[in-house]
Amino acid sequence: MTVRRPLIAANWKMNGDRELVSAMAATLQGIDSPHEILICPPVIFLSDFPKSSQYRLGAQNVSSETAGAFTGEISADMIRAAGAEYVILGHSERRCLFAETDATVLQKAQQALRVGITPIICFGETLSERQQEKTMWVLAQHLDAVYAAHPDLLAETVIAYEPIWAIGTGLTATPEQAQQVHAFIRQHLARINPEAAAKVRILYGGSVNADNWPTLFSQPDIDGALVGGASLKPAEFAAICRMAKE
């Protein structure tokens, strides 16, 4: 049986300040968790976090370019220098609000890997697509666009399943719905590389909180969480990080 170390990741989005940085660092410093813990604040706060063995740091985005005249962009080298070991890519908000495509996500993933940063690549379906029973078809298209042409990426990335209809809405997929999709993702990727598919960590994201997380985490193919709003509350995020895999 393949053992995958769970990853609990905090996505602060465009929220937070130095006070929250201090509160989160202090809360996590004394935490007893068997999981890998990741904090992804706005990139400007990365260097404010004290170095700690209790958590890792990540960015929420990165440029698809290495360097140059790209006003406002931040390169992989820059986020690495600021302390990032992970980067969230392809989040639905990036896709919907900033028109990012699978091709863009692939370019950004390659930039991150170039400097040793692990991409967390997000995929998910809209409410309309789920209602039309197109969830698996939509996910297959996204997965193939990234991994079919570049199967080597599978062993170097983390995947996050984030149903778009559950992000920031308070709605959450049932544990059974989430497990069904996670199992599909793993089975689909096994066609590309069975060994890497068995090892890849697949996180669930979509209004995760301390109340709904235990039942979601009990599912065999859910290897952690990408936490949004609850990650802005240090005590609640710490509670999620402490929960054991059943």
Side-chain angles (χ1 to χ4, degrees):
M1 181 178 177
T2 301
V3 177
R4 299 180 294 268
R5 187 185 182 193
L7 172 63
I8 310 298
N11 178 14
W12 285 9
K13 306 188 181 184
M14 198 172 70
N15 297 295
D17 51 27
R18 288 190 168 91
E19 183 178 347
L20 180 57
V21 169
S22 297
M24 182 65 78
T27 299
L28 295 180
Q29 196 56 46
I31 194 173
D32 181 17
S33 172
H35 315 313
E36 185 174 2
I37 300 172
L38 173 66
I39 310 297
C40 298
V43 68
I44 195 170
F45 297 131
L46 279 172
S47 58
D48 289 328
F49 273 89
K51 291 184 178 180
S52 173
S53 60
Q54 297 294 92
Y55 54 80
R56 297 177 183 274
L57 297 173
Q60 300 172 24
N61 189 29
V62 72
S63 176
S64 58
E65 303 292 340
T66 302
F70 303 100
T71 300
E73 291 292 280
I74 299 176
S75 73
D77 297 272
M78 293 172 182
I79 64 171
R80 180 65 180 172
E85 296 181 66
Y86 287 83
V87 61
I88 300 169
L89 298 177
H91 191 282
S92 65
E93 291 159 4
R94 297 297 311 176
R95 294 177 187 265
C96 296
L97 300 178
F98 300 97
E100 290 191 2
T101 65
D102 289 319
T104 307
V105 171
L106 179 58
Q107 289 177 315
K108 292 184 174 189
Q110 292 169 328
Q111 284 291 334
L113 290 168
R114 177 180 60 81
V115 299
I117 292 175
T118 301
I120 300 175
I121 304 181
C122 303
F123 304 98
E125 82 282 12
T126 65
L127 180 59
S128 174
E129 289 165 342
R130 171 163 281 277
Q131 291 173 335
Q132 295 176 56
E133 300 183 352
K134 292 182 177 180
T135 295
M136 307 312 183
W137 182 86
V138 168
L139 291 174
Q141 302 308 303
H142 287 307
L143 291 166
D144 287 347
V146 174
Y147 294 110
H150 300 273
D152 55 307
L153 291 181
L154 187 53
E156 301 181 271
T157 58
V158 175
I159 293 171
Y161 167 56
E162 289 208 318
I164 297 171
W165 50 271
I167 297 173
T169 64
L171 300 174
T172 308
T174 66
E176 294 76 20
Q177 287 173 325
Q179 167 58 24
Q180 181 185 34
V181 174
H182 280 237
F184 168 81
I185 291 171
R186 200 176 304 282
Q187 291 162 8
H188 189 80
L189 293 174
R191 302 176 186 177
I192 298 171
N193 185 327
E195 182 179 357
K199 293 179 179 179
V200 68
R201 290 182 289 184
I202 307 176
L203 313 183
Y204 175 77
S207 298
V208 170
N209 56 50
D211 293 328
N212 60 34
W213 182 236
T215 53
L216 287 162
F217 200 25
S218 67
Q219 302 302 310
D221 285 293
I222 296 181
D223 306 314
L226 186 55
V227 187
S231 73
L232 300 173
K233 305 170 185 176
E236 182 168 6
F237 183 70
I240 294 171
C241 292
R242 290 190 186 98
M243 293 178 187
K245 181 80 169 172
E246 294 181 5

